[in-house]
Amino acid sequence: MRATFRKGDSLAQLLSQEGIKNTKVLSAIANIPRELFIPDALRHKAYQNTALPIGQGQTISQPYIVARMTELLLQSENSPQNVLEIGTGSGYQTAVLAQLFQKVFSVERIKTLQFQAKRRMNQLNLHNVAMKHGDGWQGWASKGPFDAIIVTAAASRIPEQLFAQLNQGGRLIIPVGQENQQLQCITRHEDEFETQIIEAVRFVPLVPGNII
């Protein structure tokens, strides 16, 4: 019997060549039909390692960055089970997380994007995701604390509410900055936070306040 070819396999292979080592992350990437998360006119670019617009001034992240941020979460010493995602967007990062963690809580400020992402989770039979339409700067306190937090938009500074919602030993992966953004990995040790700079990145801004 011939093995079924998945377009995601070629993307996973490319990411491996780019330095992604975690086989669980690569498998999750391979499993996902990325074209589901992209406007029809751009679907021919679905398996390129590039960020793409998804409407509402937002983007679907470069697959390498999705994989790298997920890999950093899995390297946490606290064996995370429940993850908070700030910025659902298309739901692509959410779908990767849902395959690797017991429970994913995702917050999105743009209602139409949240609705579309929820529909995609159902299409992919990923039912361990809870979604909220709200201000990502506030996190999701009623569902916390979380073993890990991932932020998929660049904050001008790190939201204090996210520190408060992170479990001991947990990691916060977040891009910080405006013109010059840095991906930061922040680990909580009791009431101290250890910060590691990972690499330069480019994300849309994490907008505080009004939800739309």
Side-chain angles (χ1 to χ4, degrees), residues 11 14-15 18 34 45 47-51 62-65:
L11 179 56
L14 174 61
L15 297 183
E18 292 289 329
R34 192 169 180 250
K45 296 184 177 182
Y47 295 96
Q48 297 177 10
N49 186 23
T50 185
Q62 178 189 13
Y64 168 80
I65 290 296

Side-chain angles (χ1 to χ4, degrees), residues 155-168:
S156 56
R157 56 180 173 78
I158 300 172
E160 291 187 8
Q161 290 87 340
L162 300 187
F163 282 135
Q165 293 171 33
L166 186 64
N167 266 330
Q168 298 295 336

Side-chain angles (χ1 to χ4, degrees), residues 124-170:
L124 296 171
N125 291 317
L126 297 173
H127 301 300
N128 58 332
V129 178
M131 292 186 175
K132 177 183 179 181
H133 178 225
D135 178 2
W137 279 76
Q138 303 301 316
W140 197 343
S142 65
K143 299 295 185 181
F146 303 96
D147 298 329
I149 300 175
I150 181 171
V151 182
T152 63
S156 56
R157 56 180 173 78
I158 300 172
E160 291 187 8
Q161 290 87 340
L162 300 187
F163 282 135
Q165 293 171 33
L166 186 64
N167 266 330
Q168 298 295 336

Side-chain angles (χ1 to χ4, degrees), residues 45-124:
K45 296 184 177 182
Y47 295 96
Q48 297 177 10
N49 186 23
T50 185
L52 295 167
I54 58 171
Q56 304 286 333
Q58 305 300 301
T59 60
I60 181 173
S61 293
Q62 178 189 13
Y64 168 80
I65 290 296
V66 170
R68 184 73 179 108
M69 293 173 76
T70 306
E71 190 173 57
L72 288 165
L73 289 183
L74 288 173
Q75 289 169 356
S76 175
E77 294 180 359
N78 69 341
S79 300
Q81 299 296 316
N82 66 321
V83 177
L84 172 64
E85 177 190 36
I86 302 300
T88 314
S90 69
Y92 181 67
Q93 174 77 78
T94 319
V96 173
L97 296 172
Q99 296 177 76
L100 299 169
F101 298 96
Q102 186 173 338
K103 189 71 177 180
V104 178
F105 299 88
S106 190
V107 180
E108 172 57 52
R109 65 182 291 272
I110 301 174
K111 185 67 174 177
T112 54
L113 292 182
Q114 185 218 13
F115 175 80
Q116 292 166 1
K118 190 171 186 178
R119 185 178 61 191
R120 293 178 183 119
M121 296 306 106
N122 289 332
Q123 282 181 271
L124 296 171

